[in-house]
């Protein structure tokens, strides 16, 4: 359930991020294999870069299975804060947490964190890749993201799972798509928010949140 303005303790939230302006991002193995680390604790890492997001991030580790090594790169910038050095050279299961990256938060990311508590999230029904529906994408391209409203029954997404595309129909409250959390064609875990919806009567609250954080965050 989305928060209302009186529910938000801005001073506490801003104090928390001034004291520790980082996000701690866990890195898990995507499948089984023999683990070889390519970074150490304290190393700086970079995420995907380039004008077309074509330059991969820092190589974090390799998993070898049946003599076939697969390389895994960082999705974010930051510093290796924790690493399971005891697993080096060992066989690990899928889903094992092997390191944590301490990512320095930007003002924009802090605003987005607060907004996630105010906006109504629409969550992924399955672990899959998602795209906006053709009609919705055309409206976004023409009018801009925050000028597009949706209502129950609208076809909003295409879910791509096991090489099958399935339409997803919106079943939440009417409103405007304010924030998008997924990247087209990138797998999203079940239950993770895909986008945040803002009812029209809450738009002024959103603007006040953005204005306050921008004014008070150094």
């Amino acid at each position: 359930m989305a928060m209302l303005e009186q529910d938000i303790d801005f001073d506490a939230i801003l104090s928390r991020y001034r004291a520790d302006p980082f996000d701690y991002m866990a890195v898990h193995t995507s499948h089984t294999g023999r683990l070889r680390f390519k970074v150490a604790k304290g190393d700086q890492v970079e995420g995907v870069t380039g004008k077309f997001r074509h330059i991969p991030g820092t190589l974090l580790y390799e998993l070898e299975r049946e003599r076939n090594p697969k390389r895994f790169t960082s999705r974010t910038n930051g510093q290796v804060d924790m690493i399971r050095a005891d697993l080096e050279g060992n066989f690990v299961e899928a889903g094992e947490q092997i390191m944590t990256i301490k990512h320095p938060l930007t003002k924009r990311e802090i605003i987005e964190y607060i907004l996630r508590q105010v906006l109504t999230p629409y969550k992924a029904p399955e672990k899959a890749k998602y795209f906006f529906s053709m009609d919705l994408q055309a409206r976004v391209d023409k009018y801009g993201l925050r000028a597009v409203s949706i209502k129950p029954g609208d076809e909003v997404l295409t879910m791509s799972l096991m090489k099958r595309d399935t339409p997803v129909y919106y079943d939440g409250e009417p409103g405007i798509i304010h924030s998008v959390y997924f990247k087209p064609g990138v797998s999203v875990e079940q239950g993770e928010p895909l986008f945040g919806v803002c009812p029209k009567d809450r738009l002024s609250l959103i603007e006040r949140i953005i204005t306050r954080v921008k004014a008070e965050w150094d």
Side-chain angles (χ1 to χ4, degrees), residues 55 71 162 192:
I55 303 173
R71 297 154 64 91
M162 302 293 288
E192 286 295 305

Side-chain angles (χ1 to χ4, degrees), residues 94-112:
E96 182 85 44
Q97 182 177 347
I98 58 172
M99 69 177 74
T100 302
I101 295 175
K102 187 166 89 169
H103 167 70
L105 290 167
T106 64
K107 183 190 298 185
R108 179 178 178 180
E109 288 169 329
I110 291 168
I111 290 172
E112 197 59 56

Side-chain angles (χ1 to χ4, degrees), residues 131-138 155-158 168:
F131 306 83
F132 277 135
S133 67
M134 292 180 64
D135 176 66
L136 183 57
Q137 187 63 59
E155 183 181 341
V156 290
L157 297 162
T158 297
V168 177

Side-chain angles (χ1 to χ4, degrees), residues 161-209:
L161 178 63
M162 302 293 288
K163 298 183 179 180
R164 293 181 61 184
D165 291 344
T166 305
V168 177
Y169 297 94
Y170 184 64
D171 58 0
E173 62 179 309
I176 294 166
I177 298 178
H178 188 278
S179 299
V180 176
Y181 310 127
F182 73 95
K183 294 181 180 179
V186 177
S187 183
V188 178
E189 294 291 331
Q190 182 179 17
E192 286 295 305
L194 294 168
F195 54 81
V197 177
C198 177
K200 291 183 179 180
D201 62 2
R202 212 177 292 157
L203 273 175
S204 59
L205 166 60
I206 298 296
E207 293 305 316
R208 287 198 294 274
I209 290 172

Side-chain angles (χ1 to χ4, degrees), residues 74-135:
S74 180
R75 297 181 179 180
T76 188
N77 66 300
Q79 184 181 54
V80 178
D81 185 62
M82 183 281 290
I83 191 163
R84 289 288 308 278
D86 58 301
L87 296 178
E88 171 66 28
N90 292 335
F91 190 87
V92 295
E93 298 291 337
E96 182 85 44
Q97 182 177 347
I98 58 172
M99 69 177 74
T100 302
I101 295 175
K102 187 166 89 169
H103 167 70
L105 290 167
T106 64
K107 183 190 298 185
R108 179 178 178 180
E109 288 169 329
I110 291 168
I111 290 172
E112 197 59 56
Y113 167 80
I114 300 172
L115 290 185
R116 283 196 185 209
Q117 301 176 65
V118 178
L119 300 173
T120 302
Y122 189 77
K123 298 179 180 180
E126 302 277 352
K127 180 180 179 180
K129 297 176 181 178
Y130 290 88
F131 306 83
F132 277 135
S133 67
M134 292 180 64
D135 176 66

